[in-house]
Amino acid sequence: GQQLNQSPQSMFIQEGEDVSMNCTSSSIFNTWLWYKQDPGEGPVLLIALYKAGELTSNGRLTAQFGITRKDSFLNISASIPSDVGIYFCARRDDKIIFGKGTRLHILP
Amino acid sequence: DGGITQSPKYLFRKEGQNVTLSCEQNLNHDAMYWYRQDPGQGLRLIYYSQIVNDFQKGDIAEGYSVSREKKESFPLTVTSAQKNPTAFYLCATSDWNTEAFFGQGTRLTVV
């Protein structure tokens, strides 16, 4: 299947730090999606992007759809303990394919 | 996820037995999907259906089967041909060309 490369694979940060993760694809897509998954739960949609260059915020989260339509990034500002989890990017055509996720850890 | 019900949340089966996982939705979404999640592997697509009575294989369909007889339901059968069935299974739904919403998942353990 077509590949999504999500990085970094994991992050260890201090509470209050900003976080940045990204996703790249070898192909062009019309939709980028960002999800967060808590342990033992289904992923929850954070932000959906439908247009190249689109920059969208949801509280402390900001995501952008790259102008080449092959990449997207997600930023989290001023991280808090409940931000811990796995963040997935996904791209959509006739089906929805996910990256392998970025695992966010917050150090005590 | 309030409109997507996966049951049961935990399922134990003996090796060699077929098992069917349930996914029901009341969101009136056309498309439904099944994903498998293993540690460190992200979500891998097993099967998806864009309309009733039609479905397509995803990236890891071998050892699985599905049906889509009703818009609301998309059950997944894990057959004895699936070599490593122990995993977390996630069902999702979407309207055409929009974002997907997930159920709470079923954790299948084969003993």
Side-chain angles (χ1 to χ4, degrees), chain B residues 6 13 18 21 23 26 30 35 38-39 42 49 52 55-56 60 67 72-73 77 79 87-89 98 104 106 109:
Chain B
Q6 287 189 246
R13 278 296 181 268
N18 290 357
L21 281 59
C23 180
N26 61 6
D30 287 316
Y35 293 88
D38 297 285
S49 168
V52 174
F55 49 82
Q56 288 78 39
I60 57 164
S67 62
E72 301 80 16
S73 178
T77 297
T79 75
F88 189 46
Y89 291 88
T98 63
Q104 290 299 296
T106 292
T109 302

Side-chain angles (χ1 to χ4, degrees), chain B:
Chain B
D1 62 345
I4 304 167
T5 302
Q6 287 189 246
S7 60
K9 191 165 178 63
Y10 299 96
L11 189 56
F12 295 87
R13 278 296 181 268
K14 291 184 177 179
E15 193 171 345
Q17 287 183 336
N18 290 357
V19 60
T20 298
L21 281 59
S22 169
C23 180
E24 302 281 330
Q25 56 115 348
N26 61 6
L27 301 172
N28 201 35
H29 285 168
D30 287 316
M32 298 186 74
Y33 313 80
W34 274 106
Y35 293 88
R36 169 181 172 141
Q37 187 174 27
D38 297 285
Q41 293 293 321
L43 306 179
R44 292 185 291 169
L45 183 63
I46 305 173
Y47 269 98
Y48 64 107
S49 168
Q50 295 174 322
I51 196 168
V52 174
N53 292 321
D54 188 42
F55 49 82
Q56 288 78 39
K57 292 181 179 180
D59 296 323
I60 57 164
E62 185 176 351
Y64 300 98
S65 65
V66 293
S67 62
R68 186 84 186 278
E69 297 176 0
K70 299 186 299 182
K71 189 174 187 178
E72 301 80 16
S73 178
F74 191 40
L76 174 74
T77 297
V78 185
T79 75
S80 57
Q82 168 50 234
K83 298 288 184 267
N84 296 296
T86 294
F88 189 46
Y89 291 88
L90 287 158
C91 175
T93 74
S94 74
D95 275 332
W96 172 245
N97 216 28
T98 63
E99 60 270 20
F101 298 92
F102 282 85
Q104 290 299 296
T106 292
R107 187 166 298 280
L108 173 65
T109 302
V110 174
V111 296

Side-chain angles (χ1 to χ4, degrees), chain A residues 35 37 41 50 92 94 96, chain B residues 33 35 94 98-100 104:
Chain A
Y35 290 83
Q37 185 181 32
E41 304 291 330
Y50 294 104
R92 189 194 221 304
D94 62 329
I96 301 177
Chain B
Y33 313 80
Y35 293 88
S94 74
T98 63
E99 60 270 20
Q104 290 299 296

